[in-house]
Structure formats: structure tokens, C-alpha cells
Amino acid sequence: NNLNYSTTRTMSNNFSSHSSNSSMTDRTSWVALASSAALCATAVGVGLFLTRSLQEYGVEGTLRYIWEGDAFPPNVRAHVDALEDAEIARSLQESRIHSMEAALELARLNSVDDRRSSKEIVQQWMEYYATETGGVGLSLERALADVSDKLDKIAAKVDGVVVSDSDGNEFIQQIKKRKKLLSKTIVLDMERCDALMASYQVLREQGGNQ
């Protein structure tokens, strides 16, 4: 009996030791696998970052971004910031123009069914625009004038972005291209705003003669 007990206990200890060793081996394997996966993911991320950075900023800009946290030298950064601010400001005015156009289109569509007069179309246009803006802000007439004024000021700021060869050759063409595209977009916004102002004026005049 003692022999059987001793043998059984020895087998149990051996099994426990083997299970423990196997468990530790499994954990070590999983840790190694997870570490390898993390390293691979990091390597891929770094590779993508470098690829995109080199495509956008070039070698010099990428190195400057890594060491200084900014791909652009200070003089170029001032131009980039000015264009970015102008783009944000233009986007806000474009959104206002879109709301005015949508309100006018709705007023005209309703006038076809009800055969409203020009005066009534203007009234509907103002009401629909107020609904578009949540009833907060300027009236339609003042909003049109405000958008026109703000677009003029944005265009002036964009025109004030002047780059020269001393600003860093690798970024000059990039900034010029961005400025040119923004200027064209602002001109289109101005034309849309002018068309809305003309429509408002004509409808008001026609409404006064009815």
C-alpha cells in the first residue's frame, strides 16, 4: 500500500510539474507572439508614416518634422497657417450660401404650385432661411451683405500670402498651388453670393410693383 501510494504521489507530482512547465511555456509563447505582433504593427505604422511624410514634405521636411515637430520652417509655417485659417473661414461662408440657396429654391418650388407673387416669394425665402438657421442670426438681407463682406476680407488675406524663393524651394510650389485653388474657390463663392443678392433685389423690386 505504501508503495502504491508513493508511486501514485510521484506520478501526481510529475504530472503537476509537467502541467506547470507546459503552462509556463504556453504563456511565454503567447507573450513572444504578442510582442512580435506589436513590433510588426509598429514597423508597419512607422513605414506608412514615413512614406506619407516623404510624399507630402520630402526628405528635409520629414526630418524637420521628426526632430522639431513641424515639417515647415517658421517663415513657411506662417503662410500655411494663413491659408488654413482662410480655408476654414471660407468653408463657413460657403455653408451660409448653401442655406440661402436651399431656402430660395424651396420658395420658388412652392410658388409654382401656389402661383405666388414675387413679394410672397421673397417673404417665403426669408422665412425658409430663418428656419434653415434656426431663427438665430441676421436677416436674409443683412446675411447676404455680411457674407459678401467676409468673402472680400478672406480674399484679401489670401492675396496677402506672398511666397518667395527664400521661403524654401521645396514648399513654394505646394503653397502657390494651394493658394491658387483657394482663390478660385473664393471667386466661385463670390459669384454665388452675387447671384443671390441680384435675385433678392429683383424679387424685391418686382414685388414692389405688384
Side-chain angles (χ1 to χ4, degrees), residues 101-120:
E101 290 173 336
L104 175 58
E105 181 66 18
L106 186 58
R108 283 175 170 166
L109 287 174
N110 287 339
S111 71
V112 173
D113 295 333
D114 298 341
R115 296 183 179 180
R116 290 191 175 91
S117 66
S118 296
K119 183 176 182 180
E120 289 173 316

Side-chain angles (χ1 to χ4, degrees), residues 11-200:
M11 291 177 63
S12 177
N13 289 337
N14 289 338
F15 178 77
S16 297
S17 178
H18 175 73
S19 298
S20 177
N21 291 336
S22 177
S23 178
M24 291 181 63
T25 301
D26 290 342
R27 284 198 296 270
T28 302
S29 298
W30 279 109
V31 170
L33 182 61
S35 298
S36 298
L39 288 174
C40 289
T42 301
V44 171
V46 171
L48 290 173
F49 162 76
L50 290 175
T51 299
R52 293 175 180 174
S53 183
L54 288 170
Q55 290 176 345
E56 185 172 357
Y57 305 123
V59 176
E60 182 181 345
T62 299
L63 292 176
R64 186 181 292 109
Y65 184 84
I66 293 173
W67 292 108
E68 300 179 11
D70 192 348
F72 303 107
N75 53 341
V76 175
R77 167 52 65 186
H79 297 322
V80 173
D81 287 346
L83 290 178
E84 288 180 348
D85 291 343
E87 288 168 347
I88 293 173
R90 187 216 68 82
S91 180
L92 292 174
Q93 301 313 310
E94 195 278 335
S95 179
R96 296 175 71 187
I97 291 173
H98 177 75
S99 295
M100 295 173 188
E101 290 173 336
L104 175 58
E105 181 66 18
L106 186 58
R108 283 175 170 166
L109 287 174
N110 287 339
S111 71
V112 173
D113 295 333
D114 298 341
R115 296 183 179 180
R116 290 191 175 91
S117 66
S118 296
K119 183 176 182 180
E120 289 173 316
I121 292 176
V122 171
Q123 185 62 36
Q124 287 291 317
W125 186 8
M126 291 188 292
E127 291 177 3
Y128 289 143
Y129 176 68
T131 301
E132 284 277 340
T133 58
V136 179
L138 301 175
S139 65
L140 175 61
E141 184 174 5
R142 294 183 63 186
L144 283 167
D146 185 63
V147 170
S148 179
D149 179 64
K150 281 184 168 57
L151 287 174
D152 286 338
K153 291 179 179 178
I154 295 170
K157 289 182 179 180
V158 174
D159 289 339
V161 177
V162 180
V163 294
S164 63
D165 293 338
S166 61
D167 288 328
N169 292 328
E170 66 178 298
F171 301 114
I172 289 178
Q173 294 305 317
Q174 180 182 349
I175 293 176
K176 286 183 176 180
K177 182 178 180 180
R178 188 172 182 178
K179 176 184 175 181
K180 184 177 181 179
L181 178 61
L182 180 56
S183 295
K184 287 183 177 180
T185 307
I186 293 173
V187 169
L188 292 177
D189 290 337
M190 287 178 170
E191 291 176 351
R192 292 167 65 187
C193 184
D194 289 343
L196 288 170
M197 294 178 73
S199 295
Y200 183 82

